[in-house]
């Protein structure tokens, strides 16, 4: 019995680990130009290129203002708000998903959010790009509201990628 319970627990753990994913990278345009550790950032324009249109019972959500606000809060919370660099972000993909569908079959009803942020200096020179992708593909009741939380998670991932690059 213990063995069966252990195997079931392992299966659940593997499902959780593989069904939710996030990826982010920091790509410098010129490897000889980095970002100093004491740099400060401000949020510039956020543009929705996803083409997402709410359908049926999809939640009504202002993607642009929600992401812009989440980025501003994250920058403030990290203590890096200022005007050395400007972060402009394109929303490339947004799918709100469905918690009930994820519960029935992992992968079905996935919440997905893909962005690409561009970091500009004061001379309006593109310094780096930060692509981020977050997918929630498994879960039921505990993932209700993932359609909204994914925005905060992506904002945090963008800023985390920038902060990591500052200290390399």
């Amino acid at each position: 019995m213990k063995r069966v319970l252990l195997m079931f627990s392992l299966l659940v753990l593997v499902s959780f680990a593989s069904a939710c994913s996030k990826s982010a990278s920091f790509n410098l345009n010129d490897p000889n130009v980095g970002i100093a550790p004491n740099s400060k950032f401000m949020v510039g324009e956020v543009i929705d290129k996803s083409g997402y249109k709410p359908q049926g019972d999809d939640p009504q959500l202002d993607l642009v203002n929600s992401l812009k606000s989440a980025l501003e809060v994250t920058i403030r919370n990290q203590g890096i708000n200022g005007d050395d660099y400007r972060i402009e972000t394109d929303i490339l993909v947004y799918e709100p998903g469905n918690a009930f569908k994820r519960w029935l079959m992992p992968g079905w009803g996935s919440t997905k959010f893909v962005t690409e942020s561009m970091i500009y200096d004061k001379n309006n020179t593109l310094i780096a790009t930060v692509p981020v992708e977050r997918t929630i593909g498994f879960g039921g009741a505990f993932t209700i509201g993932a359609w909204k939380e994914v925005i905060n998670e992506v904002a945090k991932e963008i800023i985390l990628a920038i902060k990591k690059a500052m200290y390399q």
Side-chain angles (χ1 to χ4, degrees):
M1 182 64 176
K2 284 184 179 182
R3 185 176 221 162
V4 170
L5 186 57
L6 180 63
M7 292 301 283
F8 178 74
S9 298
L10 183 60
L11 178 63
V12 168
L13 182 63
V14 168
S15 294
F16 281 119
S18 63
C20 295
S21 67
K22 61 181 152 181
S23 66
S25 61
F26 186 90
N27 308 313
L28 281 171
N29 279 0
D30 181 350
N32 298 318
V33 178
I35 295 178
N38 60 347
S39 297
K40 304 295 183 185
F41 298 83
M42 60 186 258
V43 178
E45 193 171 18
V46 175
I47 299 172
D48 183 3
K49 296 182 176 181
S50 71
Y52 169 73
K53 301 284 184 244
Q55 297 175 347
D57 62 349
D58 284 357
Q60 296 295 318
L61 179 64
D62 183 345
L63 287 174
V64 169
N65 286 326
S66 295
L67 181 58
K68 190 169 190 167
S69 176
L71 284 166
E72 289 169 346
V73 166
T74 304
I75 286 171
R76 245 186 338 269
N77 289 345
Q78 293 294 319
I80 59 170
N81 53 316
D83 64 355
D84 297 330
Y85 294 94
R86 184 179 77 252
I87 303 168
E88 301 212 350
T89 303
D90 291 340
I91 299 169
L92 304 176
V93 175
Y94 175 73
E95 298 169 10
N98 182 292
F100 181 71
K101 289 178 182 178
R102 286 190 294 273
W103 176 74
L104 288 176
M105 185 171 70
W108 186 39
S110 294
T111 297
K112 188 171 186 177
F113 197 47
V114 180
T115 64
E116 183 173 51
S117 296
M118 289 69 60
I119 312 301
Y120 293 94
D121 66 11
K122 287 184 177 184
N123 297 320
N124 208 31
T125 302
L126 180 62
I127 302 299
T129 57
V130 183
V132 174
E133 179 175 335
R134 175 74 167 105
T135 302
I136 301 168
F138 179 82
F142 69 91
T143 63
I144 291 173
W147 60 271
K148 188 172 182 183
E149 186 55 34
V150 74
I151 295 169
N152 294 324
E153 291 177 8
V154 165
K156 289 175 186 172
E157 251 341 275
I158 292 167
I159 303 309
L160 179 64
I162 292 169
K163 284 192 76 170
K164 283 182 181 177
M166 288 167 54
Y167 295 101
Q168 287 185 358

